[in-house]
């Protein structure tokens, strides 16, 4: 068997765990690589402009991703040392996307949530959302909601979030015409009984 191919397959352990930790600024290429892999799949399989080109430019995208890394907002998910997912967590919403009244409610805001396509169908995306919600809530005692802005024309992704209990809020535009203007939210208390907790923060007591 091709050992390189085998190494890329998801763990077949009966009860796999996936460590997660804060990403370092020098891991920007790892984060961008996960995004670019997802972008390639979207171009081939979905009818959406999401990530068809780096937005607003390669330099602009790299700047946003680096700032999130430098601010300690971006996490990397691993399987046996291989980075397989990422998510960025903020405690404040974009002022042009979320209204002042909406931002009065403390919330966890998720950005650039990606799970490698090799791990599709395992429920890791949903679990990563749950984990990120808990992590964001640990930073603000009164957080009540998980919020996410979704690529405006990616209707399949809209349906995915609805299936996870998110409510569509609105589609809004910003001065820089962000293509990610479809807004969704759900209560932090939303839970799905029986879902295993396979994502473990690196260094956490088990």
């Amino acid at each position: 068997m091709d050992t390189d191919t085998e190494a890329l397959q998801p763990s077949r352990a009966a009860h796999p765990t996936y460590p997660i930790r804060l990403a370092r600024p020098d891991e920007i290429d790892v984060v961008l690589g996960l995004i670019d892999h997802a972008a390639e799949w979207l171009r081939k399989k979905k009818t959406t402009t999401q990530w068809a080109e780096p937005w607003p430019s390669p330099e602009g995208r790299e700047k946003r991703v680096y700032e999130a890394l430098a601010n300690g907002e971006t996490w990397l998910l691993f399987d046996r040392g291989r980075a397989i997912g990422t998510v960025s967590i903020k405690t404040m919403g974009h002022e042009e996307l979320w209204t002042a009244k909406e931002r009065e409610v403390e919330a966890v805001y998720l950005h650039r949530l990606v799970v490698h396509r090799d791990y599709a169908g395992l429920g890791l995306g949903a679990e990563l959302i749950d984990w990120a919600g808990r992590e964001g809530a640990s930073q603000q005692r009164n957080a009540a909601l998980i919020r996410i802005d979704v690529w405006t024309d990616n209707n399949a992704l809209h349906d995915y979030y609805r299936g996870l209990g998110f409510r569509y809020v609105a589609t809004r535009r910003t001065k820089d015409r962000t293509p990610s203007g479809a807004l969704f939210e759900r209560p932090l208390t939303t839970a799905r009984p029986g879902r295993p907790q396979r994502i473990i923060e690196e260094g956490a007591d088990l």
Side-chain angles (χ1 to χ4, degrees):
M1 181 178 291
D2 185 332
T3 54
D4 289 336
T5 302
E6 184 180 20
L8 295 177
Q9 301 305 308
S11 172
R12 293 187 176 89
H15 302 287
T17 56
Y18 301 95
I20 193 167
R21 63 164 171 78
L22 275 172
R24 303 186 305 268
D26 64 359
E27 292 175 307
I28 185 170
D29 287 342
V30 178
V31 176
L32 292 175
L34 287 164
I35 294 171
D36 288 340
H37 171 79
E40 182 179 2
W41 179 81
L42 285 167
R43 284 194 294 271
K44 292 178 179 178
K45 300 293 185 181
K46 297 293 182 180
T47 306
T48 175
T49 62
Q50 181 165 351
W51 296 340
E53 299 289 342
W55 184 86
S57 65
E59 296 78 15
R61 181 186 71 163
E62 185 169 336
K63 180 176 183 291
R64 287 200 323 277
V65 172
Y66 181 81
E67 286 175 349
L69 288 163
N71 291 335
E73 298 167 347
T74 300
W75 295 76
L76 280 170
L77 181 67
F78 293 88
D79 180 18
R80 294 162 295 167
R82 176 195 182 192
I84 63 166
T86 184
V87 64
S88 293
I89 306 170
K90 290 179 176 286
T91 57
M92 292 295 294
H94 192 297
E95 292 183 358
E96 293 182 65
L97 289 176
W98 301 94
T99 68
K101 184 175 181 180
E102 287 165 345
R103 285 182 284 110
E104 287 177 1
V105 179
E106 290 190 15
V108 177
Y109 296 85
L110 306 187
H111 301 274
R112 289 183 292 278
L113 190 147
V114 181
V115 174
H116 196 283
R117 292 304 303 173
D118 286 353
Y119 292 76
L122 300 181
L124 274 177
E127 190 173 342
L128 185 55
I129 291 169
D130 290 347
W131 180 89
R134 294 192 300 271
E135 173 60 29
S138 73
Q139 302 174 31
Q140 45 184 342
R141 181 177 302 173
N142 297 317
L145 298 167
I146 303 178
R147 287 174 168 163
I148 191 162
D149 54 271
V150 182
W151 207 270
T152 303
D153 72 4
N154 193 338
N155 294 317
L157 191 55
H158 301 179
D159 291 341
Y160 172 78
Y161 283 111
R162 287 188 179 97
L164 294 178
F166 282 80
R167 177 184 72 88
Y168 170 73
V169 176
T171 297
R172 296 176 180 143
R173 298 186 70 180
T174 59
K175 292 177 183 177
D176 60 5
R177 297 186 178 183
T178 177
S180 187
L183 308 180
F184 291 82
E185 67 181 20
R186 85 171 187 210
L188 265 169
T189 53
T190 299
R192 285 165 296 286
R195 185 180 297 281
Q197 291 190 13
R198 298 166 293 180
I199 297 175
I200 306 296
E201 186 173 345
E202 195 171 272
D205 294 330
L206 302 180

